[in-house]
Amino acid sequence: RCAVHATRLVRLDPVGLGRGLEMTAPQQRLLLVVDDLEAARDELIGRGAEAGVEAVITCGTDLASSEAAVALADAHPAVWAAVGVHPHEARQACGDAAEGEDGPVSIDEALIDRIRRLAGGPRVVAIGEIGLDYHYDFSPRAAQRAVLARQLALAAELRMPVILKMTGIRSSAAR
């Protein structure tokens, strides 16, 4: 199976974000999990274009899938990329320090620097999909919060929008 790619279908406007993509309002949200995305990818993009989809944003979930998202965007004019670390993968950005729920969590700054370099690409329009997922808790909550805070700071530094996921969040302190 491939990494989960969150894909948002949006309207395209030649102005906006300084990169040729104006995200007005998502027309649909589609989550793709495909066993052989490599083989199906071009067909899916082509069928989307035939159906009137003007732009697709594919989101990285970790460093490798962020690099793949940028490569896909570079290869297809209708595809744009978002790069970042999904809350399910937050543990990877923190290493062993993510195991405890108490105290500060250390972030792998080398990983953040690589995300920063990817975000500078001409086909990258957002940092994402980032956030908190307290429903599945695939990564410790402390790691999710730390990685989210660091990526929000990165997005602010780069003056980029974020694609935000907030699942299972009930208390105002977690928000």
Side-chain angles (χ1 to χ4, degrees):
R1 296 182 69 92
C2 73
V4 174
H5 289 278
T7 305
R8 295 183 187 264
L9 310 180
V10 298
R11 293 188 183 185
L12 183 63
D13 186 306
V15 192
L17 298 181
R19 301 188 187 199
L21 181 66
E22 177 67 30
M23 292 185 285
T24 52
Q27 300 304 299
Q28 294 187 40
R29 185 173 190 279
L30 171 66
L31 186 63
L32 294 177
V33 181
V34 181
D35 286 333
D36 190 3
L37 184 60
E38 190 77 27
R41 168 176 70 201
D42 292 336
E43 178 187 352
L44 290 171
I45 293 169
R47 288 176 60 197
E50 290 169 7
V53 174
E54 297 169 324
V56 174
I57 299 175
T58 185
C59 299
T61 60
D62 57 14
L63 182 59
S65 62
S66 291
E67 290 169 341
V70 171
L72 182 63
D74 286 344
H76 293 276
V79 177
W80 300 82
V83 297
V85 178
H86 188 279
H88 291 182
E89 308 303 332
R91 175 189 313 270
Q92 296 175 6
C94 299
D96 293 335
E99 293 305 320
E101 283 296 322
D102 298 326
V105 173
S106 170
I107 304 291
D108 180 353
E109 286 299 323
L111 171 70
I112 298 299
D113 286 341
R114 292 182 71 186
I115 296 291
R116 177 185 289 107
R117 283 194 297 277
L118 286 172
R123 307 282 305 162
V124 179
V125 295
I127 303 296
E129 181 174 73
I130 64 175
L132 301 173
D133 188 334
Y134 289 1
H135 178 74
Y136 291 107
D137 279 330
F138 290 142
S139 286
R141 291 179 179 187
Q144 291 184 49
R145 289 189 300 270
V147 172
L148 171 60
R150 186 62 188 92
Q151 290 183 107
L152 288 171
L154 177 62
E157 170 193 327
L158 299 176
R159 300 182 54 86
M160 294 185 81
V162 299
I163 298 175
L164 190 61
K165 172 189 185 77
M166 301 296 270
T167 305
I169 309 303
R170 293 209 171 100
S171 78
S172 60
R175 290 187 212 139

